[in-house]
Amino acid sequence: MPKYFFLSFFIFLVQAATSQLLIKNTNVIDVENNKMLIGYDVLVENGRITSVVKTTAASRDPMATQVIDGGGKYLIPGLADAHVHFFQTGGLFTRPDAIDLRKYQPYDKELKWAHDHMEDLLRLYTSAGITSVIDPGSSFHFLQQKDSFANKTYAPVIKMSGPLLTTFVPDPFKDLGNESPFILMTSEEQTREAVRSELPYKPDFIKIWYIVRGPNIDSSARINLPFVKAVIDEAHKNNLRVAVHATQRITAQLAAEAGADYLVHSVDDEVISNDFVQLLKKKNVVLCPTLIVAGNYMKVLSNNYHFTDEELKLTHPVPAASIKNYPGLDTAIANPIIKRVTSRKANRQLADSIMAVNLKKLIDAGVIIATGTDAGNLGTQHASSYFIELEAMRQAGLNNWQLLQASTINAAKVLGAQNEWGSIAKGKIANMVLLNANPLDGLVNWRKIDWIINKGVPLKPESVRK
Ligand SMILES: [Zn+2]
């Protein structure tokens, strides 16, 4: 049956042509050994990296392979934002517990917008070379929606926890059912049951919102500790890692001692001791500094947030517009907030400086630091905030190698996925970015993207954005 044979052969050729990619004679950034491999060929087959070898005179293009000439360019692993929230838009209406404008944008409408535009936001991430995102704190509805993007070449790899397990739920977030980003913990047994209730939705990990309230944070932290321990124990029994929101030294310490795998923020209330640093190191805890998110709340709410042109290129226009319209939407609501928030500016500056000092201590001691923005929070925009966060980390004292590691292999370590992605090595998912300039010469070069290779498919940045 010659006709059938030719058809089959044709299909074979098309499949081979679409599944092989060679990036030829480029400079490969090896983030696991802090080395630049000069003049290397990287072969990708069926979405995986299958070889990384020195280019030789004898190197020939395999048949039916798409070839990208990497000469004079730099190939880095795809970047990762290890802390984002898709239930939050980054706009003015996203946190009614911080500023309540629900009479202008009902919260269910805000959540609907977040669902309807998740694809747009994912496209922005990929177009920026961010090929992995980790969402510590979503809802059952978002966990279900996440799966629809798994095979989309415009979407990053998405790892997501379920709702945050917490001892405190702010009023606007009560009674949201499937959309709730919170589950209240009321007893140890109910807390274990709450962890088990997340399992059918297949979260990639579990998240705790370890909030302390009242004047004595030490005793408040200890009162809530049994819940934290119960979550960690139950999650670990089910082979799930645990991420913890803990911004005070005491909560971060108690969480790490109890077995937390991932601290999603810096400690910002005191300069950390060497004992604390050694605790994180000994327990292999990954820490995400999120240096800009709290300051962004203050900047927006005190009417002091100014978008740069560079930022707007990667920012969704709708949440950005909502922030630009503040405080004009309702000055009666905004004016007292502006006054109150402005009066706290010095406190925030102190906390920011403590975070920077702590980050430098951690990185110098070899604690695993992962880049993350907390994007989606008020003023912290999906995708574009990544480069502002990186600049803050650089100012805290990280060098370009440390920034590259934090943004690639260390983010993979958050979920123990470092054998799957995070570096350019044989067998890993082919998520890479080909840059026109050397990323070790400065962060500005991280934006000079020629190609994004996402799930093995080469994409031009402008073609990914809608
Ligand atoms: Zn967060």
Side-chain angles (χ1 to χ4, degrees), residues 83-85 88 136 207 245 264-265 374 377:
H83 191 158
V84 308
H85 296 282
Q88 299 186 134
K207 168 77 180 285
H245 166 113
V264 301
H265 292 294
D374 214 354
N377 274 284

Side-chain angles (χ1 to χ4, degrees), residues 286-302:
V286 182
L287 184 137
C288 177
T290 66
L291 299 177
I292 62 168
V293 63
N296 283 344
Y297 269 90
M298 296 207 83
K299 280 186 191 167
V300 170
L301 294 175
S302 63

Side-chain angles (χ1 to χ4, degrees), residues 107-119:
Y107 190 60
D108 59 340
K109 283 225 173 87
E110 178 72 2
L111 284 175
K112 186 174 185 314
W113 191 94
H115 283 293
D116 291 348
H117 296 82
M118 188 169 168
E119 178 183 330

Side-chain angles (χ1 to χ4, degrees), residues 299-311:
K299 280 186 191 167
V300 170
L301 294 175
S302 63
N303 193 24
N304 214 4
Y305 194 96
H306 309 289
F307 289 94
T308 64
D309 291 343
E310 199 57 17
E311 193 183 352

Side-chain angles (χ1 to χ4, degrees), residues 152-191:
K152 297 283 192 278
T153 53
Y154 63 75
V157 171
I158 308 166
K159 298 292 175 189
M160 199 178 255
S161 81
L164 300 102
L165 292 149
T166 176
T167 50
F168 162 71
V169 177
D171 277 335
F173 299 102
K174 285 177 179 161
D175 305 320
L176 295 175
N178 216 23
E179 294 286 6
S180 180
F182 295 107
I183 298 178
L184 191 65
M185 301 187 284
T186 54
S187 73
E188 283 181 56
E189 191 41 48
Q190 172 270 349
T191 294

